[in-house]
Amino acid sequence: MNKKIPDSSRVVIIGGGVAGCSVAYHLAKSGWKDVTLLERDQLTSGSTWHAAGLIGQLGASASITKLRKYSLDLYKNLEKITGQSTGLKQNGSVTVATNNDRMQELLRQATTAQLFDVDVEILEKNKIREHYPIINDDDLVGAVRMPMDGQANPVDVTQALAKAARMEGARIVEHAPVKKILIKNKSIEGVETSEGIIKCEYIVLAAGMWSRQIGKSINVNVPLYPDEHFYILTEPIENLTKNLPVLRDYNNCLYIKEDAGKLLVGLFEPNAKPAFTKNNIVPDDFSFGTFSDDWDHFEPYMMAAIKRIPVLEKAGIRQFLNGPESFTPDNNYMLGEIPEIKNFFVCCGFNSIGIVSAGGAGKVTAEWIINGGIQEDLFSLDVSRFEPWQSEIKYLVERSTETLGNLYAMHWPYKQFKTARNIKLLSYHEELKKEGACFGVGAGYERPLWYAKNDEVAEDKYSFNYQNWYPAAERESKATRNNVALFELTPFAKFEITGKDSHKELQIICSNNISNNKGKTTYTQMLNKYGGIEADLSVTCLEEDKFLITTGSAVRYHDKHWIEKNIGSGSQAKLSDVTEDYNVIGIMGPNSRKLLSLLSSENFETIKFPFGTGKNIFINNIKIWAQRLSYVGELGWELFIPTENAKEIYKIITNIGKKYELTHAGTHTMDILRMEKGYLHWGHDISPEENPFEVGLNMFVSFKKREKFIGREKMESIEKKGCNKKLVYLTLDQENNPGNPLLLHEEPIYMDEKIVGKTSSGQYSFYYKKSISMGHITLAETFNLNEIKNNKFEIEVAKKRYLARLNIEPLHDAKNILIRK
């Protein structure tokens, strides 16, 4: 008998669902022919076979919309490429709104869709029945129609991708379960199967709901968990229109599609049912399994469906399907390289939208592997955004009940998860609570978003317009600008790099010239080989051969992974994660020096403690590392306090702070203030999609240092050629009207009536009484901002354009006088 598996393969893909087959096709099509896909049973087993197959281009974010649109374009061409039908039917979609809030959300998403040339039509209430004749529209306020949306057969799509992959040279092997993943020195070595070992350089884990368990077997973090997902299929309905669009009624948790003269009714309900709760293990043999019917759970939504589509009342039920679908903690996919193991990639966690997602996800996964990185802003989908504790079963089971429902729940700005909270509490959490803190989650920490005072209730009331925390943000903003404020900064990721090669390695990994003078802090970016910004951070020389790296709370494992994989082989430099060792409190504002002078005998005057330096100070005989830095654009210090002493120091600060009317300020205020100052946020304003010259950070790229830092050649080329993409700073002409419109991100930017880019951040400045926004624009040729400052600019929000002004400088302290005085 011939052996069906090879002895070696450059890439092994684990999982033969739609995602795994898409990765195999895109790798092979790109020239990587030595690809083997191993499917434990048959292609589509698991979740793919019972998927509803909806093809909706409009996603909750620009990155997801982009990948969905690519999937649709791919599936349209697959039949031509392979001769294999995909069952694609572009019968369009209609998404209805039963209230004005939902309609505004749809309008915002439709506005973003324009950035990707997705055809969108806004329907007034009286036009909905023209496109969906059997609907009851009594309680509707409007709808969005997407004529190029539709549906496809999940099994046919998968088989077409598999056939296309084989045509390009990939090998696909069914009934070939992986028994063990072989690792050596934190790198992929191969996989063990029942027929022997396959040596390989890369692995892509695309095993759907089994992915967490496979990851756990090698101590890898793949946080997803399956829930029960319900839909029913009716008997044939007489005279049912064959080209009926897919209907989505988010407020009633419903989707409805025509299926060969029948209607399929599915739901994404709040308080979902976790699957496999007996032992929290997905059985190996659950290939085409389903769960028992649960009419009690389904019935309320079926009644809503009957109200929406009255013909359902007399339709018989042909099939009740209850099958598993896996969900991630934040409802976004998991793509990219696992931080723990080199060349181990994932492509899973599609939150029940895998069919429409898989084409684009497979493409970017293949590019990630081939190019050794990405040039797109995909951090919201990057597996490195998760921390190890997020793979714990208790957390996942609880959170998945919320994330399934969040697919169709309102996608409010600033929305916080309700489940699986209080994972990490600060030692002074109760004290912050007494101060009126309304908590959100930052890297697992309960972190103050804003502080309620007087008769305010510390609870968010979500809106697409005026935010109920605006009065707090106004108080906190003005206190920081005029007096002194305390910011809780503990979730910042903190690393130490030590050893005799530490400075040399930093000089290669960082674009700026890293100071090795004790106490000096250097602001820098870390670039990839294309010049894209992989990390944005500060590096402080603590002493000879020892440096402190401080970066954002959300990018802890992303940045750690990037640093570790770029430290040279055999280098005498070691990276240590010290995030939990220190609490960090920011004391910011013009009176911060006076307050700190009452807390410590240290001299905080500029001549002794200049901006961009740090030193050890003592408060109540406790040694604290103090850095004079400021993300809010004011005189200020960050205090790194040993965790065991944090509560004591917090109480001392706040007690003495009463003399200066010290104000507690939250993360919303910090975001407003950093935008007033023109400071950028990685993951919004900067990402691997931008290089320093495009976003005004070229002064932090040092061509004077001798080291050939990563991305240097690209930076030298860009310096000579210039850029046709720039970060812009916009303000709206109307003032004193916070929340109208509410600027967020991914809103189209118009210049002279043409879309030239999109926003990346938005807020309302209470100090300057303006709506402010950052974003990126791309023109046909290289340019500088002064050349276009008098052009007509507009920002479009919820299908309405607002006149904007291009600012060459930020609103606050453009000359950096206040932070340095």
Side-chain angles (χ1 to χ4, degrees):
M1 181 177 179
N2 293 328
K3 186 178 179 182
K4 62 183 179 182
I5 65 167
D7 293 326
S8 65
S9 182
R10 191 174 190 183
V11 184
V12 168
I13 300 166
I14 303 173
V18 66
C21 291
S22 178
V23 175
Y25 165 68
H26 285 95
L27 281 170
K29 187 175 184 296
S30 298
W32 282 38
K33 308 295 184 182
D34 190 11
V35 173
T36 301
L37 184 150
L38 301 177
E39 164 52 44
R40 48 176 294 282
D41 198 327
Q42 299 177 42
L43 297 184
T44 77
S45 64
S47 296
T48 298
W49 71 272
H50 64 71
L54 307 185
I55 306 294
Q57 301 165 85
L58 198 58
S61 69
S63 57
I64 291 175
T65 298
K66 184 177 180 181
L67 296 186
R68 287 186 178 195
K69 184 177 187 297
Y70 173 84
S71 295
L72 174 61
D73 294 340
L74 172 65
Y75 300 162
K76 286 163 63 175
N77 293 321
L78 271 179
E79 189 166 346
K80 300 174 186 176
I81 295 170
T82 65
Q84 163 79 45
S85 172
T86 61
L88 179 65
K89 185 169 70 169
Q90 288 184 272
N91 49 326
S93 70
V94 173
T95 303
V96 299
T98 60
N99 57 43
N100 291 328
D101 286 334
R102 180 67 76 177
M103 193 65 210
Q104 189 168 14
E105 178 186 34
L106 295 180
L107 290 173
R108 283 177 174 265
Q109 291 180 356
T111 303
T112 299
Q114 296 172 154
L115 298 167
F116 305 101
D117 297 321
V118 175
D119 191 5
V120 182
E121 180 184 359
I122 309 303
L123 301 179
E124 301 291 337
K125 176 177 178 175
N126 61 358
K127 296 291 185 181
I128 298 173
R129 289 178 68 99
E130 293 180 15
H131 301 281
Y132 209 94
I134 61 174
I135 197 169
N136 171 12
D137 62 0
D138 288 349
D139 61 339
L140 301 182
V141 299
V144 167
R145 174 177 174 257
M146 304 188 70
M148 303 309 291
D149 276 3
Q151 57 199 70
N153 184 307
V155 174
D156 289 346
V157 169
T158 306
Q159 294 292 352
L161 285 166
K163 185 173 182 179
R166 290 187 183 104
M167 289 169 64
E168 292 289 349
R171 180 187 290 105
I172 295 178
V173 186
E174 295 180 287
H175 304 290
V178 172
K179 296 170 64 177
K180 188 177 181 181
I181 295 172
L182 307 177
I183 310 293
K184 186 176 181 179
N185 297 326
K186 294 186 177 181
S187 293
I188 291 297
E189 194 172 45
V191 296
E192 181 183 331
T193 75
S194 57
E195 293 196 22
I197 289 174
I198 305 176
K199 293 183 178 179
C200 62
E201 297 178 46
Y202 299 86
I203 285 177
V204 180
L205 180 60
M209 60 184 172
W210 287 276
S211 297
R212 184 194 64 83
Q213 292 165 204
I214 294 172
K216 185 180 179 182
S217 71
I218 51 172
N219 296 317
V220 160
N221 177 39
V222 188
L224 55 75
Y225 194 82
D227 285 332
E228 297 183 19
H229 177 54
F230 302 85
Y231 64 71
I232 61 102
L233 185 66
T234 71
E235 296 287 355
I237 296 174
E238 189 175 355
N239 299 322
L240 188 66
T241 305
K242 292 293 189 292
N243 63 347
L244 203 63
V246 173
L247 179 70
R248 295 179 179 85
D249 182 351
Y250 291 149
N251 284 36
N252 286 302
C253 311
L254 297 169
Y255 64 85
I256 301 172
K257 75 164 187 172
E258 184 275 333
D259 189 329
K262 303 176 285 292
L263 285 178
L264 184 151
V265 180
L267 61 133
F268 291 107
E269 75 281 17
N271 303 313
K273 293 180 64 179
F276 309 109
T277 53
K278 185 176 181 179
N279 57 11
N280 301 124
I281 298 295
V282 182
D284 289 341
D285 61 353
F286 203 84
S287 298
F288 296 96
T290 58
F291 306 113
S292 59
D293 299 352
D294 188 343
W295 280 104
D296 289 341
H297 188 85
F298 191 83
E299 185 179 19
Y301 305 99
M302 189 63 198
M303 297 307 294
I306 290 171
K307 181 180 177 182
R308 180 65 62 223
I309 311 294
V311 299
L312 284 170
E313 187 171 14
K314 296 181 181 180
I317 305 299
R318 171 168 289 190
Q319 180 186 16
F320 186 114
L321 189 134
N322 178 6
E325 295 278 4
S326 56
F327 290 81
T328 64
D330 61 2
N331 263 127
N332 282 337
Y333 328 152
M334 286 190 289
L335 308 178
E337 188 177 20
I338 287 286
E340 298 93 334
I341 298 173
K342 184 179 179 182
N343 293 345
F344 188 175
F345 287 77
V346 296
C347 184
C348 57
F350 290 103
N351 306 285
S352 202
I353 51 173
I355 305 303
V356 70
S357 305
K363 174 180 179 287
V364 298
T365 299
E367 292 171 346
W368 214 318
I369 293 169
I370 293 167
N371 299 326
I374 51 172
Q375 292 178 268
E376 299 179 63
D377 179 11
L378 290 176
F379 179 68
S380 64
L381 310 178
D382 191 331
V383 66
S384 70
R385 72 188 184 274
F386 292 120
E387 299 192 12
W389 55 267
Q390 290 177 284
S391 280
E392 295 175 3
I393 281 293
K394 183 178 182 298
Y395 169 86
L396 281 173
V397 171
E398 185 178 342
R399 175 57 61 84
S400 70
T401 63
E402 183 176 7
T403 52
L404 182 146
N406 273 348
L407 277 181
Y408 280 10
M410 287 291 295
H411 297 94
W412 293 113
Y414 311 107
K415 184 176 180 179
Q416 295 292 314
F417 285 103
K418 296 179 180 178
T419 57
R421 293 289 296 266
N422 297 319
I423 302 295
K424 299 180 185 178
L425 296 181
L426 299 163
S427 60
Y428 41 88
H429 175 85
E430 289 301 319
E431 283 72 17
L432 295 177
K433 192 174 181 179
K434 290 175 184 176
E435 280 291 331
C438 177
F439 292 99
V441 180
Y445 286 94
E446 292 296 318
R447 188 178 187 185
L449 302 174
W450 57 280
Y451 291 86
K453 298 296 179 185
N454 305 319
D455 295 328
E456 295 168 349
V457 178
E459 182 178 328
D460 288 319
K461 295 180 181 178
Y462 297 124
S463 169
F464 277 106
N465 299 295
Y466 184 91
Q467 301 295 301
N468 76 305
W469 47 263
Y470 274 174
E474 182 171 10
R475 282 193 307 270
E476 295 165 16
S477 296
K478 292 178 178 178
T480 308
R481 292 279 182 245
N482 298 323
N483 184 29
V484 61
L486 181 151
F487 290 86
E488 168 37 48
L489 307 175
T490 299
F492 278 174
K494 303 170 276 289
F495 311 113
E496 287 182 0
I497 183 166
T498 56
K500 72 173 188 176
D501 292 332
S502 54
H503 183 254
K504 182 182 75 172
E505 294 293 346
L506 287 168
Q507 288 288 71
I508 294 170
I509 300 173
C510 300
S511 60
N512 205 352
N513 189 20
I514 304 301
S515 174
N516 57 358
N517 294 324
K518 185 176 179 180
K520 187 70 176 71
T521 297
T522 308
Y523 173 58
T524 185
Q525 287 72 49
M526 293 181 176
L527 312 180
N528 58 36
K529 61 184 178 182
Y530 307 105
I533 300 172
E534 288 286 346
D536 180 70
L537 39 82
S538 64
V539 181
T540 302
C541 180
L542 299 177
E543 55 189 68
E544 186 178 0
D545 300 330
K546 184 177 182 180
F547 297 83
L548 173 67
I549 296 172
T550 309
T551 187
S553 58
V555 294
R556 177 178 176 181
Y557 286 88
H558 172 276
D559 289 6
K560 182 180 179 181
H561 180 213
W562 182 260
I563 296 167
E564 288 183 329
K565 80 174 185 177
N566 284 293
I567 290 177
S569 177
S571 172
Q572 293 190 44
K574 179 184 178 183
L575 187 75
S576 302
D577 190 332
V578 296
T579 301
E580 267 80 34
D581 294 352
Y582 300 95
N583 282 31
V584 184
I585 290 175
I587 304 297
M588 306 289 164
N591 283 328
S592 57
R593 177 180 285 123
K594 293 179 180 177
L595 173 54
L596 287 170
S597 295
L598 294 179
L599 294 167
S600 172
S601 60
E602 183 62 49
N603 187 335
F604 292 93
E605 295 297 330
T606 296
I607 193 169
K608 293 291 186 179
F609 209 144
F611 178 79
T613 64
K615 64 176 68 174
N616 286 313
I617 67 171
F618 288 86
I619 298 177
N620 203 30
N621 294 319
I622 295 171
K623 186 166 75 172
I624 293 166
W625 179 258
Q627 293 186 164
R628 187 176 163 188
L629 297 174
S630 172
Y631 193 48
V632 299
E634 292 293 337
L635 176 70
W637 279 261
E638 298 169 355
L639 306 180
F640 289 68
I641 307 163
T643 300
E644 62 270 20
N645 305 120
K647 185 173 183 178
E648 176 185 351
I649 297 299
Y650 168 84
K651 287 185 173 182
I652 292 172
I653 292 171
T654 52
N655 185 47
I656 296 180
K658 293 174 183 177
K659 295 181 180 180
Y660 287 99
E661 297 182 338
L662 175 68
T663 297
H664 283 64
T667 57
H668 289 326
T669 294
M670 184 163 63
D671 192 50
I672 293 169
L673 299 180
R674 68 97 184 167
M675 287 193 64
E676 291 175 352
K677 185 66 176 73
Y679 287 157
L680 309 182
H681 183 268
W682 195 94
H684 283 91
D685 313 305
I686 50 178
S687 73
E689 207 165 298
E690 291 80 36
N691 68 61
F693 284 87
E694 293 172 335
V695 294
L697 296 177
N698 47 296
M699 71 283 290
F700 303 111
V701 176
S702 174
F703 296 121
K704 294 181 179 180
K705 66 179 183 179
R706 66 179 184 275
E707 289 85 1
K708 186 179 179 182
F709 59 85
I710 299 169
R712 179 166 187 153
E713 290 182 4
K714 189 69 174 179
M715 290 297 93
E716 290 172 340
S717 173
I718 292 171
E719 185 184 37
K720 294 175 184 177
K721 295 179 181 178
C723 299
N724 69 330
K725 177 180 179 181
K726 297 283 186 182
L727 181 133
V728 292
Y729 191 77
L730 301 167
T731 55
L732 296 192
D733 278 3
Q734 63 249 53
E735 299 181 4
N736 298 313
N737 199 4
N740 185 25
L742 182 69
L743 295 181
L744 297 168
H745 49 81
E746 298 178 349
E747 298 114 351
I749 299 173
Y750 288 78
M751 186 177 79
D752 300 333
E753 308 296 329
K754 180 183 177 182
I755 293 178
V756 292
K758 64 178 180 178
T759 63
S760 55
S761 294
Q763 279 288 3
Y764 183 82
S765 165
F766 295 95
Y767 194 77
Y768 292 96
K769 299 182 180 180
K770 294 176 183 291
S771 291
I772 53 180
S773 184
M774 292 179 179
H776 309 99
I777 64 172
T778 303
L779 303 182
E781 299 178 349
T782 59
F783 68 99
N784 65 59
L785 295 180
N786 280 308
E787 295 171 346
I788 61 169
K789 66 180 181 180
N790 295 321
N791 290 50
K792 179 185 176 184
F793 284 90
E794 296 169 292
I795 298 174
E796 185 174 353
V797 182
K799 300 300 291 182
K800 182 179 178 181
R801 294 191 206 173
Y802 297 85
L803 194 65
R805 178 177 290 122
L806 176 66
N807 296 265
I808 302 300
E809 294 182 330
L811 296 177
H812 190 72
D813 193 23
K815 306 301 181 186
N816 290 325
I817 295 171
L818 297 177
I819 62 171
R820 295 180 180 275
K821 72 176 185 179

